[in-house]
Amino acid sequence: MAVKDMKRVFSGVQPTGNIHIGNYLGAMKQFIELQNENECLYCIVDMHSITLPQDPKQLRQHILDVAALYMAIGLDPKKSIIFVQSDVSGHAELSWVLTCNSYTGELSRMTQFKQKSKGRESAPTGLFTYPVLMAADILLYDTDIVPVGNDQKQHIELTRDIAIRINNKYGKTFVVPDGKFVKSGARIMALDNPDAKMSKSAENPHSRISLLDEPSKIKKSIMKSTTDSEGVIRFDVEHKPGISNLLSIYSVFADETVEALEARYEGRGYGDLKKDLVEVVINNLTPIQERFKEIRQSQELLDVLQDGAERAGVIAEATMKRVKDRFGLGWK
Ligand code: ATP
Ligand code: LTN
């Protein structure tokens, strides 16, 4: 396919540690499929991660961890641009321009902000303007497609609203992007509480399975996971959220339909399902972990990030020139 016929894809993951199977199945697995027929940029969004306090030494390590995980799950730096957000100054520059074209009313309606600021009398301003920085990430690269988990739907809508608003006011400046969501796995729930999404920041480590978890930890988390007392293996999110969540995870990792799994486990107990799921998850994560170990120590990783920043920077610079022209910023 000629480059000009390709769609531009952009997505980001925060380097906040503990990348879990929710991140992987909801978003990152799509990244790999998309890189074959599109021009893809995959970012480590470190500036988003400082909306909540981070330990600086640990943050640096987590940035390299996510970069190595991107490659370990199958992102190919020859096909995709892999880079760190703060290496390209256009993200912060465009974010300010978009901040001036977004409204406190619409930002106050973002559910992620409401959740993350809950119980605080006053929240960091960056937590409030987080979705605007995300819009800047996306619009900076004339992105057509944004593969993300379901929890990001509202942020994608906001990005579209801001792009359309500016295009209407200043003339065509931005490509209006579309979100891309997986059919199964777009919202993996916490193992200890299937009413909440699996999250990096939850206190209980058994609420999630991290991509780098040891087999014994994976086993413990799955065997302990919350189910119900009915004893029937059936997909029913409303009445059986725990079992439905395990079936979703199983289905995507094993590439089998939920119906096929329901048929296989008819008349069998939750223990059987959990034991088999442990094996399926371990079999899927072991090769990723082996590749991760190799890449994380390598010079190649640093070269990929350097090269990624340069390639992303070229695209970002062209967009910023256009934006400055449209808004009358600067004098050149
Ligand atoms: P936290 O879990 O601490 O709230 P996060 O995992 O949502 O953070 P990111 O690292 O930026 O934050 O998420 C990376 C991608 O993973 C996003 O596309 C997001 O939509 C997706 N994602 C996050 N949690 C889940 C989940 N439980 N199920 C499916 N997709 C998810
Ligand atoms: N907000 C996202 C992470 C993120 C992102 C992006 C995703 C930041 N910038 C741009 C897609 C495109 C999250 O919290 N999951």
Side-chain angles (χ1 to χ4, degrees), residues 87-134:
D87 277 344
V88 179
S89 60
H91 293 256
E93 290 173 21
L94 183 57
S95 184
W96 177 250
V97 175
L98 303 187
T99 301
C100 297
N101 286 274
S102 52
Y103 292 88
T104 52
E106 58 191 352
L107 295 184
S108 310
R109 286 194 291 276
M110 296 293 122
T111 52
Q112 184 172 306
F113 169 69
K114 287 196 244 177
Q115 277 160 7
K116 294 204 170 176
S117 61
K118 216 187 211 155
R120 293 165 179 254
E121 201 181 305
S122 180
T125 310
L127 207 53
F128 186 62
T129 56
Y130 175 114
V132 182
L133 178 58
M134 175 163 164

Side-chain angles (χ1 to χ4, degrees), residues 227-234 236 239-240 270:
T227 51
D228 55 69
S229 55
E230 192 193 25
V232 178
I233 297 174
R234 175 166 53 85
D236 176 348
H239 301 105
K240 300 170 71 67
Y270 294 168

Side-chain angles (χ1 to χ4, degrees), residues 14 22-23 27 148-149 151-152 186-188 197-201:
Q14 297 186 66
N23 302 132
V148 274
D151 61 321
Q152 296 302 310
R187 191 171 171 80
I188 300 293
K197 81 163 188 137
M198 186 175 284
S199 161
K200 288 189 209 139
S201 37

